[in-house]
Amino acid sequence: ATRYAEQVLAHEALEERAHAVLVGVALARGDLAAARAAADRALGALDAVGLRPGSALRMLLRRIEVRSAAATTLRPVGG
């Protein structure tokens, strides 16, 4: 899925569904850093032409926020 999404984005940087696939796959793998990077890439591409993310991408952005907050909250003391 990620390979296909990357191929799509190589030809159409504004294809929001492909961006959402990359974010979603990273979240499913538990790779918060990759999810953030994919989200930043999507937001940058959309912002460059004055567009805002659609509902699917907004939902994934919210998942990143929630998981980031949970990761911070659940971090062991002294760790």
Side-chain angles (χ1 to χ4, degrees):
T2 57
R3 190 174 313 170
Y4 180 73
E6 288 289 359
Q7 289 174 354
V8 169
L9 290 172
H11 297 286
E12 181 53 62
L14 296 176
E15 179 53 59
E16 192 170 339
R17 289 174 293 185
H19 284 293
V21 166
L22 295 178
V23 175
V25 167
L27 284 170
R29 287 191 320 238
D31 190 344
L32 198 51
R36 279 193 203 111
D40 288 345
R41 178 180 174 191
L43 293 174
L46 294 170
D47 188 56
V49 294
L51 296 175
R52 299 174 77 175
S55 60
L57 192 52
R58 285 194 317 267
M59 178 193 66
L60 291 167
L61 294 170
R62 180 70 183 130
R63 284 187 188 171
I64 291 171
E65 290 174 10
V66 168
R67 290 191 186 180
S68 294
T72 301
T73 303
L74 298 177
R75 201 169 280 150
V77 175

